[in-house]
Amino acid sequence: MMERIMVLVAVYGSLIAHDRLHLKSLDKPEKAVYLLLMAGSLYLAVDYAVNRNWINFHDLFEPVFGVAAKQIDAFLKVRK
């Protein structure tokens, strides 16, 4: 687990150091999108670091889009 945390600290440290220069020129909506993407990314990074079975995006989207996706898949299958 310590190796994963060290990798994540290195990755996010370099990412924030690089993006800090560009964040000053962004508008408020662009900053909001950036923060939303970083929050999702940090959640998945912590999930990776602690190696737990937390809720992933697939678990959230399956109940919403699962039936429609299966119907589209069945419609697009090639029948021989």
Side-chain angles (χ1 to χ4, degrees):
M1 183 166 105
M2 198 60 185
E3 304 90 24
R4 292 178 180 199
I5 292 173
M6 289 172 39
V7 168
L8 291 176
V9 166
V11 168
Y12 280 99
S14 61
L15 183 67
I16 291 172
H18 177 268
D19 288 347
R20 189 178 64 198
L21 302 172
H22 301 289
L23 282 176
K24 294 176 185 175
S25 64
L26 296 179
D27 297 334
K28 283 188 179 183
E30 292 170 335
K31 285 182 183 178
V33 170
Y34 176 81
L35 289 175
L36 183 68
L37 290 173
M38 285 299 288
S41 172
L42 282 172
Y43 170 77
L44 292 174
V46 171
D47 183 24
Y48 164 76
V50 297
N51 201 19
R52 301 279 184 204
N53 192 16
W54 289 353
I55 295 175
N56 291 324
F57 294 125
H58 180 272
D59 299 332
L60 296 175
F61 292 137
E62 178 67 28
V64 177
F65 300 112
V67 175
K70 289 177 185 172
Q71 290 174 347
I72 292 170
D73 185 47
F75 177 75
L76 294 175
K77 283 194 177 179
V78 177
R79 297 168 200 233
K80 293 181 180 181

